[in-house]
Every structure is written in structure tokens, then in C-alpha cells.
């Protein structure tokens, strides 16, 4: 199997090319071709002399994912099933909005965190993605939809399959590549990593030099109920998670996002909402509530619209709170529905 070039940073490409006697500007040209022109195959890197291209092609390829399926929703959302070099597949979703677009991308094949309301959890974990496989999803969707992050806002959310903080090194490298102004140029403030609450990794993430935004999936208001929904809470307790969030070094323009999936009669009472406000306390927080996206094998129901609005109204007394509308539900592209399902 040839080695992948996508996923390598400029320093890495420079070492690679200078070690075979090329000058370092060739590495910059290759970097530009991969991340700014978003070439699909090495043969299209026409700025490089053909001898060098041929030489590279002997050992390397771009390593970009191949599109294996595409589902288009009636609301314009497009769900992709992308095939990796070893044949495994991950999902990525394109979500168009009026004045911006959002890409929801995966960080792992499957997920080892066993949340009881999430379809991805049913797969278990197969493996981590590499930095190239993470950024490759962005490159593929940008090319397909002709997205230009420099001229139209593009948000990236790591809310697809997997727990990004359990693959932090690759996620951080992919984020550096996405944010680099010489490449994709997606501002860090437009990139969000979502976590189920892996405490030591939140602390490590806080120290990244290229740090995007953080969203924490809260989903419950007591230790007991969070343990039942997200068993990882036994190891990383709710109290410790909130204390970690309080210490999280926010920048002046930034809020910490908390996500809360509402499950009918389970975590959606007025009491729950009041307890969430208590947990958030003085944190500069923003809350996104979303009604459960149901799925086969998920033993919960979505609450009524009135319940969702009542929950939001209580939270809103203390913190900004938004109701997230599911996108692409008809093609199983909505949150927590990502699994290798083929319709
Ligand atoms: N593993 C990370 C990121 C991927 S999950 C995390 O858990 O944060 C992204 C979001 O989808 C999380 O906030 C999660 O709580 C939510 N989610 C999972 N299953 C869902 C479902 N069935 N309906 C609605 N949201 C769901
Ligand atoms: Fe994994 Fe997130 Fe799904 Fe939990 S909600 S199983 S952490 S993908």
C-alpha cells in the first residue's frame, strides 16, 4: 500500500522532499496543491516536474478517502460514506445553511464510548482515524461542493462518528492543517470539537497552541442519570467534569458549548433544566438542546416540541440556549444516527 501525503504538515513534506535532494520550495508547492488546490491525484500536481511526480507516485498517493455512497436529504443535507485505504468506512455530512455551510466529520471508525442513545455506540470501536483521514473528509466535501472557506463561512464540527478526544493527537494535527492560512484556511473559531467528557484529555486540549472551540455533551443533570445514559460518567464523574469546565481557559470572545440530547421522560423535566443551570453556574456557557434523533435499537423517544421549548425557556434564564433542529433526518444524517447504514 502506498503511503499517504494528505495529513502531512509542511515541515514533514519538506523533510521528505529535501531528503531525496529536492529544494524546499517543492514541498511548499506540494503542500499548496494538496490543501489549497485540493488535487485528487498526484498526477494533477502539474507545478512539479514530471520526473518528480513520477518518483513520488511510486511510493505515495494522496491518501484521500474514496466516496462509496452519497445520500441527499430533502433539506439539502448530504451524507457521505467514505472509504479509507484499508476498506473501512466513515461518515461525513455536508449541511448547507443560508449564509454559511457546516461539515460534520468523524474522528474514529465507530466509538468506544457506550452512550445509550447513540447509534455509533452500537458499532463499538474499530480504530482511530489518522490526521490525513480526518482532514481528507474536509478536502473531499470541499471539493465536491466547491466550498471556499476564504469567501464564505465554513464551520467544521467534529460531531460525526467517534470521540475526538480519544484520538487527540490526530485530531490536533488535522485541526492545524485545517486552520493553516496557507492551506484550507478555516479559522479556529469556526472549528468545534465535541466530547463526551474525557477529563484529562480536556485538560490537554486546553493547552493546544492551535485550539478550536470545545463542546461538552452534558445530556443529564445528575451523576446517577448521566451514569445510566453515558456509563463513562462512572470514571469521569459529573462533578469532576464540571470542575474541569470551570477551569477551562476560555478566550474573551468564546463560550463553552454544552450539548444536551432530550429523551422523553428521562432527562427532560423542569427539574433537570434547573439542575443544569445550577451545574453551569458561572461558566460562560452556551447550551444547545436537541430532541433525540431516534434510531433502530435506541430504547428512547423524543420529547414533544412543547417539552423542548419549556426546557429551553428554563435554561435561558441563566445562559443562552438554542434548540438545534435535526438536519437530514430522512437519510439518517442527524446527530447520533451515524453508523455504517446503507439505506
Ligand atoms: N463523541 C462526541 C462527538 C460525537 S457525538 C460526543 O459525544 O460529544 C455528537 C453529539 O451528538 C453529542 O453531543 C451527542 O450527545 C449527540 N447525539 C448522540 N446520539 C444522538 C441522538 N440519537 N440524537 C441526538 N443527538 C445525539
Ligand atoms: Fe461516542 Fe459521542 Fe456517540 Fe457517545 S455520543 S457513543 S461519545 S459518538
Amino acid at each position: 500500500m502506498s503511503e499517504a501525503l494528505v495529513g502531512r504538515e509542511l515541515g514533514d513534506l519538506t523533510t521528505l522532499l529535501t531528503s531525496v535532494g529536492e529544494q524546499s520550495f517543492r514541498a511548499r508547492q506540494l503542500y499548496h496543491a494538496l490543501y489549497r488546490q485540493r488535487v485528487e491525484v498526484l498526477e494533477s500536481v502539474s507545478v512539479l516536474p514530471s520526473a518528480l511526480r513520477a518518483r513520488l507516485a511510486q511510493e505515495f498517493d494522496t491518501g484521500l478517502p474514496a466516496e462509496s455512497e452519497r445520500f441527499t436529504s430533502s433539506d439539502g443535507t448530504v451524507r457521505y460514506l467514505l472509504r479509507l485505504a484499508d476498506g473501512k468506512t466513515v461518515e461525513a455530512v455536508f449541511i448547507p445553511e443560508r449564509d454559511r455551510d457546516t461539515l460534520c466529520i468523524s474522528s474514529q471508525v465507530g466509538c468506544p464510548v457506550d452512550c445509550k442513545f447513540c447509534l455509533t455506540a452500537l458499532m463499538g470501536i474499530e480504530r482511530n482515524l489518522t490526521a490525513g483521514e480526518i482532514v481528507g473528509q474536509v478536502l473531499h466535501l470541499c471539493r465536491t461542493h466547491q466550498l471556499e472557506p476564504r469567501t464564505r463561512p465554513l464551520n467544521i464540527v467534529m460531531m460525526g462518528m467517534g470521540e475526538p478526544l480519544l484520538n487527540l493527537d490526530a485530531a490536533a494535527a488535522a485541526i492545524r492543517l485545517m486552520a493553516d492560512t496557507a492551506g484550507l484556511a478555516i479559522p479556529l473559531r469556526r472549528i468545534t470539537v465535541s466530547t463526551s467528557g474525557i477529563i484529562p484529555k480536556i485538560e490537554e486540549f486546553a493547552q493546544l497552541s492551535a485550539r478550536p472551540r470545545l463542546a461538552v455533551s452534558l445530556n443529564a443533570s445528575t451523576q446517577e442519570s448521566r451514569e445510566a445514559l453515558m456509563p463513562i460518567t462512572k470514571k469521569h464523574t459529573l462533578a469532576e467534569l464540571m470542575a474541569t469546565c470551570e477551569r477551562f481557559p476560555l478566550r474573551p470572545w468564546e463560550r463553552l458549548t454544552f450539548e444536551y440530547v432530550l429523551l422523553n421522560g428521562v432527562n427532560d423535566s423542569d427539574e433537570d433544566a434547573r439542575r443544569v443551570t445550577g451545574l453551569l453556574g458561572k461558566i460562560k456557557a452556551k447550551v444547545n438542546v436537541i430532541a433525540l434523533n431516534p434510531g433502530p435499537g435506541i430504547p428512547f423517544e423524543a420529547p414533544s416540541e412543547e417539552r423542548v421549548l419549556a426546557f429551553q425557556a428554563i435554561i435561558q434564564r441563566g445562559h443562552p440556549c438554542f434548540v438545534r433542529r435535526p438536519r437530514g433526518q430522512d437519510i439518517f444524517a442527524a446527530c447520533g444516527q451515524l453508523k455504517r447504514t446503507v439505506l
Side-chain angles (χ1 to χ4, degrees):
M1 209 159 57
S2 357
E3 277 195 67
L5 289 175
V6 166
R8 291 173 193 254
E9 296 181 65
L10 182 59
D12 197 358
L13 291 179
T14 306
T15 311
L16 189 97
L17 289 185
T18 52
S19 72
V20 296
E22 295 291 335
Q23 286 185 274
S24 59
F25 77 94
R26 293 295 183 201
R28 284 196 298 278
Q29 290 178 324
L30 180 57
Y31 186 90
H32 189 275
L34 293 174
Y35 301 110
R36 195 148 176 184
Q37 279 175 266
R38 312 184 301 222
V39 295
E40 235 178 318
V41 287
L42 283 181
E43 291 75 63
S44 333
V45 190
S46 48
V47 62
L48 296 182
S50 56
L52 175 56
R53 255 183 288 159
R55 195 161 162 198
L56 279 173
Q58 279 176 3
E59 255 185 87
F60 300 96
D61 62 23
T62 56
L64 286 166
E67 191 174 314
S68 100
E69 302 268 359
R70 181 191 297 204
F71 308 99
T72 304
S73 162
S74 51
D75 68 13
T77 299
V78 187
R79 175 166 76 112
Y80 291 87
L81 194 63
L82 301 175
R83 198 174 54 252
L84 309 172
D86 64 355
K88 294 195 184 293
T89 53
V90 287
E91 304 203 3
V93 186
F94 168 69
I95 307 158
E97 284 166 278
R98 196 184 335 190
D99 50 2
R100 57 162 187 214
D101 302 304
T102 300
L103 305 182
C104 176
I105 60 170
S106 297
S107 55
Q108 300 181 307
V109 184
C111 183
V113 184
D114 186 26
C115 303
K116 300 302 177 193
F117 44 79
C118 175
L119 269 183
T120 306
L122 299 177
M123 283 178 69
I125 176 74
E126 295 190 15
R127 68 168 174 86
N128 278 336
L129 296 186
T130 64
E133 289 167 336
I134 297 172
V135 78
Q137 299 167 62
V138 176
L139 291 169
H140 184 84
L141 272 60
C142 280
R143 186 167 0 84
T144 307
H145 294 279
Q146 295 178 310
L147 307 180
E148 294 298 342
R150 283 181 176 75
T151 52
R152 176 176 155 90
L154 178 68
N155 292 336
I156 306 290
V157 295
M158 284 205 162
M159 295 188 187
M161 295 162 67
E163 167 50 58
L165 293 194
L166 289 178
N167 188 15
L168 183 54
D169 290 349
I175 287 160
R176 286 195 297 274
L177 287 167
M178 289 179 217
D180 185 3
T181 50
L184 275 158
I186 302 167
L188 284 169
R189 63 174 73 201
R190 293 205 168 272
I191 305 176
T192 301
V193 166
S194 176
T195 182
S196 55
I198 317 290
I199 291 173
K201 294 293 176 180
I202 294 178
E203 281 159 354
E204 207 180 315
F205 175 87
Q207 301 309 320
L208 293 179
S209 52
R211 178 173 73 69
R213 291 182 194 262
L214 183 67
V216 175
S217 299
L218 185 59
N219 297 338
S221 68
T222 65
Q223 172 68 21
E224 191 192 5
S225 115
R226 197 170 191 270
E227 258 183 39
L229 297 173
M230 304 175 73
I232 194 169
T233 312
K234 292 192 191 100
K235 182 164 174 200
H236 300 293
T237 65
L238 183 55
E240 282 171 284
L241 176 60
M242 297 317 298
T244 308
C245 291
E246 269 163 42
R247 288 195 301 269
F248 191 79
L250 290 170
R251 289 156 288 198
W253 47 267
E254 189 176 21
R255 283 180 188 271
L256 195 52
T257 299
F258 288 86
E259 292 159 285
Y260 199 102
V261 186
L262 291 167
L263 312 173
N264 188 32
V266 176
N267 65 356
D268 64 344
S269 68
D270 288 355
E271 279 270 69
D272 282 301
R274 284 191 284 269
R275 280 194 295 258
V276 167
T277 301
L279 286 173
L280 298 180
K282 290 197 170 49
I283 300 174
K284 215 173 134 209
K286 169 187 128 175
V287 181
N288 286 331
V289 295
I290 180 165
L292 174 80
N293 291 310
I298 300 298
F300 301 105
E301 286 168 9
S304 67
E305 178 71 11
E306 298 82 79
R307 186 84 301 268
V308 174
L309 294 177
F311 194 93
Q312 177 195 27
I314 295 172
I315 306 266
Q316 219 155 17
R317 293 183 207 145
H319 302 88
C321 180
F322 303 88
V323 176
R324 294 238 313 258
R325 302 289 160 193
R327 297 286 304 260
Q329 224 174 3
D330 54 340
I331 53 164
F332 286 100
C335 304
Q337 292 189 312
L338 300 187
K339 206 184 104 170
R340 290 176 307 169
T341 44
V342 177
L343 291 182

